[in-house]
Amino acid sequence: MATFRVKIPLGDEIELSEEMVKTLIAKTLGYSIIVSSAFVKLPQLIKVCASKSSSGLSFLGAFMELLAVTFNTSYSLAKRYPFSSWGEAPFLQFETASIAFFILWYSRQQKQALTFLFTYSLLVFLLVSGLVPITVLWYLQATNLPLAVAGKMIQARKNYINHHTGQLSIITSFLLFAGCVTRIFTTLHETGDKLIALTFIAAAAANFVLVAQIFYYWKNTNEFLLKEQKKKTS
């Protein structure tokens, strides 16, 4: 196994094995993702709340994405995986739940929005309470693959039908794509869980589709948002 010599400030050298270097990289990337995840969906939230519009956004797509990240949190917590391998999930849960709530709220479905918030809160409590057997949590985690892909593809289909991406945020979409790509490495190195790694591979591919659509429909989206703004001010 290869070794690396690193010079420390006091002038001495320390020897690091290849495995130690990989672990250090994985931990650094893992905690970097956790820190950035606290802000990754804020651009999307700000865009929706500032415009008071959720046009172009799919509630079903956001809800399926929310279920995927929720199952990941409960499963990783139950398995006691290193926090650096899944710590961004709780932040993404809160942000995705907020986006789903405002999609309903700004679609003039306030009662449905409040019902969703109450029901989802009960679900989270049940999953992290320890009452759900680990085997059940494993099967829920297994559904992350179709959920991660289907949720994004529902949004992608809506973009294709509309010929624009509405209030979808380019910053959030790109950061989610980059985060999924990084998580493939950290998951394999820190947990060795191929099921979770496969989920991140699928999610990365699905997020890439959304990023590509944002650029492809850029002109159409700007024209749509301009028309929407004029309607509100007229």
Side-chain angles (χ1 to χ4, degrees):
M1 183 179 292
T3 59
F4 303 87
R5 290 185 175 276
V6 180
K7 191 171 184 179
I8 59 178
L10 295 177
D12 297 328
E13 288 187 348
I14 57 175
E15 191 173 276
L16 299 175
S17 67
E18 183 179 347
E19 188 64 24
M20 290 173 66
V21 172
K22 287 182 178 179
T23 299
L24 180 61
I25 293 174
K27 290 290 185 183
T28 301
L29 289 174
Y31 283 112
S32 296
I33 293 174
I34 292 172
V35 172
S36 63
S37 68
F39 310 99
V40 69
K41 289 203 171 187
L42 282 183
Q44 183 67 78
L45 272 172
I46 292 171
K47 191 171 185 180
V48 170
C49 293
S51 63
K52 294 184 179 180
S53 168
S54 59
S55 59
L57 300 182
S58 167
F59 171 77
L60 181 58
F63 180 65
M64 294 181 78
E65 183 182 352
L66 178 61
L67 287 180
V69 71
T70 302
F71 295 157
N72 181 42
T73 298
S74 56
Y75 176 70
S76 299
L77 190 63
K79 292 285 286 186
R80 298 185 178 181
Y81 284 149
F83 185 71
S84 58
S85 70
W86 62 274
E88 76 278 7
F91 295 103
L92 291 176
Q93 274 183 251
F94 175 78
E95 293 164 1
T96 306
S98 298
I99 290 171
F101 172 81
F102 283 118
I103 289 176
L104 291 175
W105 189 266
Y106 289 126
S107 298
R108 297 182 180 180
Q109 301 180 64
Q110 283 84 0
K111 289 183 179 179
Q112 292 90 329
L114 294 173
T115 300
F116 155 74
L117 197 59
F118 176 74
T119 305
Y120 176 67
S121 298
L122 286 180
L123 174 64
V124 171
F125 173 77
L126 177 64
L127 290 176
V128 301
S129 65
L131 298 174
V132 182
I134 188 64
T135 51
V136 174
L137 293 177
W138 186 92
Y139 282 110
L140 291 177
Q141 172 65 29
T143 66
N144 274 13
L145 182 56
L147 284 173
V149 175
K152 297 295 182 182
M153 290 302 97
I154 288 173
Q155 180 63 61
R157 181 176 180 273
K158 188 165 187 175
N159 296 338
Y160 175 76
I161 293 174
N162 292 337
H163 295 292
H164 65 75
T165 56
Q167 298 293 343
L168 197 63
S169 167
I170 177 60
I171 298 175
T172 292
S173 298
F174 178 78
L175 289 177
L176 287 173
F177 165 69
C180 286
V181 171
T182 306
R183 266 292 173 228
I184 296 170
F185 169 73
T186 60
T187 297
L188 288 174
H189 183 76
E190 295 200 80
T191 70
D193 197 314
K194 295 181 179 179
L195 176 62
I196 297 180
L198 186 60
T199 300
F200 281 119
I201 292 172
N207 277 302
F208 177 77
V209 171
L210 294 183
V211 172
Q213 283 186 320
I214 290 174
F215 283 108
Y216 184 77
Y217 293 123
W218 190 273
K219 183 179 179 180
N220 290 357
T221 300
N222 287 336
E223 291 176 353
F224 168 78
L225 293 178
L226 184 61
K227 289 180 181 177
E228 188 179 51
Q229 186 62 35
K230 286 182 178 179
K231 287 181 181 179
K232 288 183 178 180
T233 56
S234 61

